Amino acid sequence: MMTMQEKQPLSLDADELEIVQAFADGERLDDDGDDDEHDFDDGIKSARFKKLQKKLRKEVSWAIRDFKMIEDGDVVMVCISGGKDSFTLLDILLFLKKIAPIHFDVVAVNLDQKQPGFPEEVLPKYLSEQGIPYYILEKDTYSIVKQVVPEGKTYCSACSRLRRGSLYGFAKQIGATKVALGHHRDDILATFFLNLFHGGSLKAMPPKLLSDDKQNVLIRPLAYVAEKDIIKYANYKKFPIIPCNLCGSQENLQRAMINDMLREWDKAHPKRLASMFKALQNVAPSQLADRELFDFENLNLDRNSDERLFEGDNIQVGVADKLDEMGLPVNPEVQTYNPKYDKDKDSKDNKIPVINPVL
């Protein structure tokens, strides 16, 4: 059986050619697929799986293209935890490596943090069977976290900081040019709302980021992918999932509440999460209140000499003497209609303009 890493002569079917096109120039094609067998399917013949697989591959391709995540000659270090997200990311990147119009290499890296009960044999067995080059870094960060985190507090934040430090340093050590993380669209939205509700900032997880020390470029190729699709994909593929709560620590309560909120929204309004993510890509600083992003202080009028009179029936004037002292008109002119401002003279449907409608 062909492993995921073996190179075969490049012979692409129609679906794969579509994905190559999406990777190269991003033409967003439809998701209608056929029932032909494809590489990487692991014998899965379900038409629903193939449609889902094609959707995820395209969404990852679009993210890579939109943010120039992967370039020719890159060595991409995929941080694999044993969860559904990182397994899915690794699986799709290995497929794209095979058919992409550029050359890049993929290596899987896991940090064994010596959590009690962690099944050390799972990842090496899976990666070796698939022919995927990997490193397993062994470091007892669990004991450090236990010492520094107060009783009753969650370990997640301190644990992830220590994990990131070790992984980012190792990326530089082996010469990896990109560090790929498994965060998906819903993770990005959850982080946005955490910062909005609890951090007082409009900030999320960017799809691509230069680390603070400028030593690593971090990429999130699953940025366009919904978590519910990853769950379905991982179930089809039967990845050997390792639970993330082996340490006994509970998920951060605030993040858990945000995730529950997003799931409820998604059930009640299926397009809401997609719309919110689109909003993160369509920011209007002049419509917010950050003085660092927009120069509010130096806004100046630039009126022309063209006078437009109020169109209506009448203008009531009160305390006219005060208006006169201010140099304002005490008897402003009124007109009922000015054809000069009629943009479409032939239009029979003259709509009333609405300012700042309530959504």
Side-chain angles (χ1 to χ4, degrees):
M1 186 178 76
M2 185 184 76
T3 62
M4 294 178 72
Q5 195 68 10
E6 290 175 0
K7 279 285 186 183
Q8 298 294 323
L10 195 60
S11 179
L12 307 182
D13 62 23
D15 280 353
E16 291 169 340
L17 285 170
E18 281 188 301
I19 294 165
V20 170
Q21 189 73 8
F23 194 107
D25 61 22
E27 183 180 355
R28 301 207 172 198
L29 306 172
D30 60 60
D31 287 327
D32 295 330
D34 54 42
D35 265 349
D36 296 337
E37 289 194 24
H38 303 280
D39 292 338
F40 289 49
D41 283 2
D42 295 337
I44 303 170
K45 298 183 182 297
S46 165
R48 288 185 179 180
F49 165 72
K50 289 168 186 172
K51 186 174 182 179
L52 174 66
Q53 183 182 57
K54 182 179 175 183
K55 178 184 179 185
L56 265 61
R57 288 172 174 177
K58 283 175 151 186
E59 288 173 340
V60 171
S61 297
W62 296 335
I64 290 172
R65 182 212 65 234
D66 289 351
F67 296 94
K68 202 175 182 181
M69 292 184 182
I70 299 177
E71 301 171 81
D72 192 47
D74 268 339
V75 176
V76 181
M77 186 181 103
V78 179
C79 298
I80 182 163
S81 64
K84 67 183 187 324
D85 305 331
S86 57
F87 270 125
T88 298
L89 172 62
L90 179 63
D91 186 73
I92 294 176
L93 284 183
L94 286 168
F95 169 78
L96 294 179
K97 166 181 165 57
K98 178 183 175 185
I99 69 167
I102 61 173
H103 171 77
F104 64 93
D105 289 312
V106 174
V107 59
V109 178
N110 167 260
L111 177 64
D112 179 356
Q113 298 178 267
K114 301 304 176 184
Q115 296 173 335
F118 183 80
E120 298 180 354
E121 73 287 349
V122 170
L123 286 175
K125 181 175 183 293
Y126 172 81
L127 296 170
S128 296
E129 287 176 350
Q130 300 297 327
I132 303 169
Y134 70 89
Y135 296 98
I136 305 292
L137 313 180
E138 300 185 31
K139 184 176 182 178
D140 186 5
T141 61
Y142 174 75
S143 297
I144 299 173
V145 170
K146 289 277 287 184
Q147 292 174 4
V148 300
V149 176
E151 185 77 21
K153 299 291 185 179
T154 60
Y155 303 151
C156 301
S157 179
C159 183
S160 65
R161 281 200 300 272
L162 289 170
R163 181 172 62 248
R164 286 196 301 268
S166 296
L167 290 171
Y168 297 172
F170 187 68
K172 181 180 179 182
Q173 179 181 338
I174 64 173
T177 53
K178 300 288 170 59
V179 178
L181 306 176
H183 299 118
H184 47 70
R185 182 200 69 182
D186 298 12
D187 287 326
I188 294 173
L189 288 174
T191 302
F192 172 80
F193 281 106
L194 274 172
N195 285 314
L196 179 67
F197 293 163
H198 305 289
S201 63
L202 291 179
K203 184 170 65 173
M205 292 176 176
K208 184 178 180 182
L209 176 70
L210 180 64
S211 61
D212 291 340
D213 61 6
K214 296 181 172 53
Q215 301 300 298
N216 287 289
V217 174
L218 317 177
I219 59 174
R220 296 182 170 97
L222 297 179
Y224 291 167
V225 181
E227 182 180 30
K228 61 185 179 184
D229 288 339
I230 293 174
I231 293 172
K232 293 175 188 175
Y233 189 80
N235 287 336
Y236 275 120
K237 296 285 284 189
K238 292 182 169 53
F239 294 132
I241 304 297
I242 300 173
C244 63
N245 61 347
L246 294 172
C247 62
S249 177
Q250 299 300 310
E251 182 184 12
N252 179 282
L253 181 59
Q254 293 174 345
R255 181 172 285 274
M257 292 175 65
I258 295 292
N259 287 333
D260 288 342
M261 178 188 75
L262 293 176
R263 292 187 190 102
E264 289 301 316
W265 281 352
D266 193 39
K267 289 179 183 177
H269 310 280
K271 295 183 179 180
R272 178 173 289 184
L273 299 193
S275 178
M276 290 191 299
F277 188 82
K278 185 178 179 181
L280 296 182
Q281 300 174 281
N282 188 25
V283 179
S286 65
Q287 307 303 303
L288 299 173
D290 190 329
R291 292 173 293 157
E292 297 296 324
L293 291 181
F294 189 80
D295 186 6
F296 294 98
E297 292 184 13
N298 292 309
L299 291 177
N300 295 302
L301 292 174
D302 187 19
R303 287 178 175 168
N304 55 35
S305 58
D306 192 8
E307 182 180 9
R308 181 172 183 178
L309 301 179
F310 170 71
E311 294 180 6
D313 297 323
N314 183 45
I315 299 177
Q316 293 189 36
V317 176
V319 195
D321 56 331
K322 294 286 187 180
L323 292 173
D324 188 48
E325 288 178 11
M326 297 165 61
L328 300 179
V330 296
N331 188 24
E333 294 182 58
V334 179
Q335 65 180 17
T336 55
Y337 172 69
N338 186 348
K340 179 178 179 180
Y341 297 104
D342 187 359
K343 294 181 180 179
D344 186 358
K345 297 179 181 180
D346 298 326
S347 175
K348 296 180 180 179
D349 183 20
N350 293 321
K351 295 182 179 180
I352 299 174
V354 178
I355 300 176
N356 294 332
V358 178
L359 299 179

